[in-house]
Amino acid sequence: MTLEQIILSAKEKYHEFTGSGNAAKAEIGNAQWARWATDWQEDTAIMTKNPRQEVQATSDSGKNYDVPSDVLSIVSFKFKQNGNDYVDLKYVPFSLMGKEFGTSWEDEDAGVPTAFTFPTQDTFYLHPTPNSTNQGANYILLNYDYRPPVLSEK
């Protein structure tokens, strides 16, 4: 179904519901319908957990990493511990990191990451910070639901 067909169908349903007449003469412009269609598409992606993407990332000596800009929700977060198999990391809400790992958790020595948290929506931390044995390409494996592309009228 094309965006134009989605818009026409939505207009028809809108006018059926409101009893306001011919769908082609809707007071709401196509640009607004396209924005709504994008919102509906994003809501559907969240509810159905699709579409999905899996990405690998490099771990380094830092604890601070960028979240991909198109993430809607995380499905799984794995780490290649000691260069071996991927292991699921435990998610701990940022506000509970001190309770889970002690108040000085941010100053702990580097080691083998066992957990992750989101201090902001754009950043995640690994805990503990990866030591030299746990740094390298493709050590982070993130599977997530991604934000579908924005729809626009032609």
Side-chain angles (χ1 to χ4, degrees), residues 51-59 65-80 86-89 91 116-118 121-126 138-146:
R52 278 203 184 148
Q53 180 159 317
E54 187 169 84
V55 296
Q56 293 179 318
T58 299
S59 66
Y65 299 87
D66 292 334
V67 173
S69 61
D70 61 348
V71 167
L72 283 175
S73 64
I74 303 293
V75 176
S76 68
F77 196 115
K78 297 180 181 199
F79 191 83
K80 190 187 292 187
Y86 285 103
V87 175
D88 286 314
L89 294 184
Y91 168 69
F116 71 99
T117 191
F118 293 97
Q121 67 182 15
D122 301 322
T123 306
F124 68 86
Y125 284 176
L126 294 177
N138 303 327
Y139 270 63
I140 298 168
L141 182 63
L142 182 62
N143 186 300
Y144 64 94
D145 303 319
Y146 68 89

Side-chain angles (χ1 to χ4, degrees), residues 8-90:
L8 184 56
S9 177
K11 284 180 181 180
E12 288 169 355
K13 295 297 179 194
Y14 172 79
H15 289 291
E16 263 178 42
F17 180 74
T18 62
S20 59
N22 186 337
K25 296 182 180 179
E27 315 80 48
I28 301 168
N30 281 354
Q32 180 62 47
W33 286 106
R35 282 191 293 279
W36 286 341
T38 295
D39 291 345
W40 297 327
Q41 178 178 257
E42 189 169 303
D43 291 344
T44 301
I46 291 169
M47 290 186 297
T48 63
K49 302 286 186 199
N50 278 302
R52 278 203 184 148
Q53 180 159 317
E54 187 169 84
V55 296
Q56 293 179 318
T58 299
S59 66
D60 56 30
S61 61
K63 66 179 168 200
N64 187 20
Y65 299 87
D66 292 334
V67 173
S69 61
D70 61 348
V71 167
L72 283 175
S73 64
I74 303 293
V75 176
S76 68
F77 196 115
K78 297 180 181 199
F79 191 83
K80 190 187 292 187
Q81 292 181 335
N82 297 317
N84 297 318
D85 294 333
Y86 285 103
V87 175
D88 286 314
L89 294 184
K90 177 180 180 180

